[in-house]
Amino acid sequence: MSRRSGILEFAILGLLRESPMHGYELRKRLNTSLGVFRAFSYGTLYPCLKTLVANGWLIEESAGTPEDVLAAPLAGRRAKIVYRLTAQGKEHFEELLAQTGPDAYEDEHFAARFAFFGQTSRDVRMRVLEGRRSRLEERLEKMRASLARTRERLDDYTLELQRHGMESVEREVRWLNELIESERAGRDLRGSNADGSASNSTSGETGGLPRNRDTSRPDPSDDTTT
């Protein structure tokens, strides 16, 4: 299984854990909620859905009333299929959520993982955030070293592009620092502090997201960070 298809399977399972959906609705959610999937097509989605069904992680159900289902072939159209997560699918998704290997730090996979942080335990969130930050700090160091070696040979526009790329990475590192600091403050999804006492803040509802700041964040899948 390719890394790209693995990310897609993870995202599909995560969205269907929230509620059953038909293919069009699922594709729309992948496009709008998870920007990493902006360009993918039905030709990519449906083979992935079939694989998940074959693995026992999803089941297909006909949408609508029994009368609608019976009437669809008579009207010359196919009954709409709704995809529902099975118990095995939920268990598999939870196993994927708990994984914190190097793939979780890469641009596309991190974007998908972050979209489901609301369903992820705090210790796993911390490992993923710290791993992502470490990966970007390594990338930033390489970019700075490369720029120092080639600065004299670059024209102004290429130099500006290099600087823009570095600024994008630096901005994401700052954003990650804020998130990590917020997680360390001890607020979880239930709005409780680390010692189990109730918190008056609502930040727990967003998985420890920092408050009172610019809500925009760098897109981890932004091409300028590669």
Side-chain angles (χ1 to χ4, degrees):
M1 180 176 62
S2 69
R3 177 181 295 175
R4 178 76 173 181
S5 63
I7 298 169
L8 181 57
E9 288 187 5
F10 172 82
I12 289 171
L13 293 173
L15 289 175
L16 292 178
R17 188 187 186 190
E18 298 172 5
S19 65
M21 300 181 201
H22 55 74
Y24 175 79
E25 183 182 6
L26 186 56
R27 182 174 184 263
K28 185 177 180 181
R29 287 289 306 279
L30 287 165
N31 279 328
T32 57
S33 302
L34 303 173
V36 66
F37 298 109
R38 294 185 193 100
F40 90 109
S41 66
Y42 283 112
T44 303
L45 174 61
Y46 283 102
C48 186
L49 287 170
K50 294 297 183 184
T51 298
L52 295 175
V53 170
N55 288 339
W57 298 330
L58 303 181
I59 56 173
E60 296 176 329
E61 299 176 339
S62 296
T65 65
E67 291 78 9
D68 293 335
V69 173
L70 292 173
L74 298 176
R77 56 186 172 83
R78 297 174 59 188
K80 187 175 292 185
I81 299 298
V82 169
Y83 295 90
R84 183 184 298 274
L85 196 65
T86 65
Q88 295 94 327
K90 182 179 180 181
E91 183 179 348
H92 179 62
F93 178 68
E94 290 173 350
E95 290 173 354
L96 295 176
L97 274 181
Q99 293 178 5
T100 57
D103 280 353
Y105 317 146
E106 299 298 337
D107 294 347
E108 291 185 345
H109 207 152
F110 175 75
R113 286 298 302 267
F114 190 84
F116 296 102
F117 261 24
Q119 304 178 44
T120 306
S121 64
R122 186 195 300 149
D123 62 324
V124 172
R125 293 196 304 262
M126 281 292 293
R127 288 198 295 271
V128 173
L129 289 171
E130 290 176 340
R132 174 66 175 175
R133 180 176 63 180
S134 178
R135 181 63 50 85
L136 288 184
E137 287 174 341
E138 292 173 3
R139 183 183 301 176
L140 191 58
E141 187 64 29
K142 290 178 181 178
M143 294 174 75
R144 287 170 176 161
S146 175
L147 184 61
R149 290 194 305 270
T150 61
R151 181 187 298 271
E152 299 301 324
R153 300 195 298 272
L154 299 177
D155 61 56
D156 290 343
Y157 293 101
T158 304
L159 184 60
E160 193 61 29
L161 185 63
Q162 294 265 352
R163 287 173 175 164
H164 174 66
M166 288 177 56
E167 288 171 0
S168 296
V169 178
E170 289 169 345
R171 186 169 63 251
E172 186 173 346
V173 169
R174 290 194 297 270
W175 172 68
L176 289 167
N177 285 336
E178 290 182 24
L179 292 174
I180 291 169
E181 183 68 23
S182 224
E183 294 288 347
R184 284 176 176 164
R187 298 186 179 92
D188 62 18
L189 295 174
R190 294 176 297 278
S192 300
N193 294 321
D195 60 3
S197 60
S199 170
N200 293 327
S201 170
T202 58
S203 63
E205 296 173 1
T206 55
L209 294 179
R211 297 298 190 183
N212 300 322
R213 64 176 177 83
D214 182 2
T215 55
S216 62
R217 67 174 179 82
D219 182 352
S221 62
D222 190 341
D223 290 340
T224 59
T225 65
T226 57

